[in-house]
Amino acid sequence: MMVAAMVQRKYKFVAVALALCTGIFATGCVGLHNALSVPVERTTIVELDSWPKNAKPIRIALLSDIHVGNLVMRPERLRSIVDAVNAARPDIVLLAGDFVIGERREGTATRARDLAPLAGLHPPGGVFAVLGNHDHWTDAGAIQARLTHAGVRVLENDAVRRGAITIVGIGDRFSGHDDIARSWQRAASLGGIAVAFTHSPDVVPDLPKTMPVLFAGHTHCGQVVAPWIGPIGRYSRWHRLYDPKYRCGRVDEPGRVTIVTGGVGSGTLPMRFNAMPDWWLIELRARAPRASNTPTDT
């Protein structure tokens, strides 16, 4: 009797262990499939009161967190993403940092070669980038050189004028490379409506009111988001990864619109749950006149 009970318990243990291993394997497969999926193209319109009369709308493509260096982001997949962006015909493309995976310098220059498909982007207003925390932790010089070779202009705490807007690239807050004062001085010297972009969205509370738009990445929209629990990874290097308020999507606040993309790659961990890869197509234009309720004379 005792032997039979022990055998039965052993079989139960094996069954539970097998079910657990099967669940982990299935979860990993789903997560990898999600990370490899075609990034969602999200669209929105940002209306600005300060938009000049008779100025045409400007369409901006926002991409972030390409993270070359693992099986999720190979040159072939990046090339297909570039083709999708070109098909949307944006006027300007902004790349909001984290071009590679890892935290060490070794091997970064080799991995950065996989950024070559970015040379296929051809918006009439240009392609601009800021660096992310992983870029600074690895080899910022090698990454910037590859971006320049691909025709991408890096704006680290710098600005450039394009028509009605001035594009302001702010350095990454998470790795301590942001200089808002310098960025704003460069923007103010050029005039136009300041449209800022950066890697980590946590700069938002410190931006001057004269920056009505901010685009960012970094968060991966949580990357692995468990039901009822939320994002699993919330800290890195003993620091909070991001303010949960700016985890994902469009955030409208008085005087400012913040848009945070989930990114097209997946970082070191090649999986995603409840946070699919995406990029944004944003149209900036004048605010439509409000309908008047005042009766007119006839």
Side-chain angles (χ1 to χ4, degrees):
M1 184 73 69
M2 185 178 295
V3 173
M6 290 178 64
V7 171
Q8 187 177 19
R9 283 197 297 269
K10 181 179 179 180
Y11 278 124
K12 285 183 178 179
F13 175 79
V14 171
V16 170
L18 182 60
L20 182 61
C21 291
T22 302
I24 292 173
F25 177 75
T27 300
C29 289
V30 172
L32 178 60
H33 177 269
N34 290 345
L36 284 167
S37 64
V38 176
V40 179
E41 177 187 338
R42 306 193 190 279
T43 61
T44 192
I45 295 171
V46 177
E47 295 184 326
L48 298 167
D49 293 321
S50 54
W51 197 261
K53 292 182 178 179
N54 301 322
K56 294 181 179 180
I58 294 177
R59 286 155 48 92
I60 296 177
L62 171 66
L63 291 83
S64 187
D65 299 275
I66 293 172
H67 282 300
V68 296
N70 64 18
L71 56 84
V72 168
M73 189 57 71
R74 298 301 188 194
E76 296 77 15
R77 183 166 183 261
L78 181 55
R79 192 171 294 111
S80 69
I81 293 170
V82 166
D83 290 342
V85 173
N86 284 335
R89 303 185 68 178
D91 300 301
I92 295 166
V93 174
L94 302 181
L95 306 174
D98 268 9
F99 293 94
V100 300
I101 64 167
E103 299 183 10
R104 301 180 63 181
R105 185 183 184 90
E106 291 78 12
T108 299
T110 300
R111 290 194 293 272
R113 294 174 186 170
D114 287 349
L115 295 171
L118 293 177
L121 291 168
H122 48 70
V127 184
F128 304 94
V130 291
L131 301 182
N133 52 295
H134 284 276
D135 305 321
H136 287 294
W137 291 344
T138 53
D139 190 341
I143 294 165
Q144 184 161 345
R146 279 292 164 185
L147 292 172
T148 301
H149 188 262
V152 179
R153 179 172 174 180
V154 178
L155 296 175
E156 283 286 288
N157 301 304
D158 203 353
V160 62
R161 181 73 182 264
R162 286 294 182 270
I165 66 174
T166 292
I167 302 167
V168 189
I170 302 175
D172 173 51
R173 165 64 59 92
F174 190 76
S175 58
H177 290 83
D178 60 303
D179 189 336
I180 295 175
R182 180 172 182 262
S183 300
W184 174 237
Q185 288 173 358
R186 289 287 297 127
S189 69
L190 296 173
I193 301 171
V195 174
F197 77 117
T198 187
H199 183 59
S200 169
D202 280 10
V203 298
V204 171
D206 298 324
L207 295 179
K209 294 181 179 179
T210 45
M211 286 186 177
V213 181
L214 177 77
F215 304 138
H218 177 62
T219 69
H220 299 194
C221 284
Q223 186 164 334
V224 177
V225 183
W228 306 293
I229 296 175
I232 300 300
R234 304 187 186 208
Y235 289 86
S236 176
R237 295 192 174 190
W238 306 106
H239 290 91
R240 186 180 70 172
L241 278 168
Y242 51 84
D243 183 340
K245 180 178 182 179
Y246 302 106
R247 177 169 72 88
C248 194
R250 175 170 174 159
V251 181
D252 287 81
E253 299 174 287
R256 179 171 295 118
V257 175
T258 301
I259 295 175
V260 181
T261 172
V264 294
S266 67
T268 304
L269 183 66
M271 60 177 58
R272 281 178 175 264
F273 291 97
N274 296 324
M276 299 299 285
D278 70 20
W279 63 278
W280 284 75
L281 184 66
I282 305 123
E283 181 175 299
L284 304 178
R285 69 186 189 191
R287 189 177 302 281
R290 296 177 181 176
S292 174
N293 293 324
T294 305
T296 57
D297 295 332
T298 58

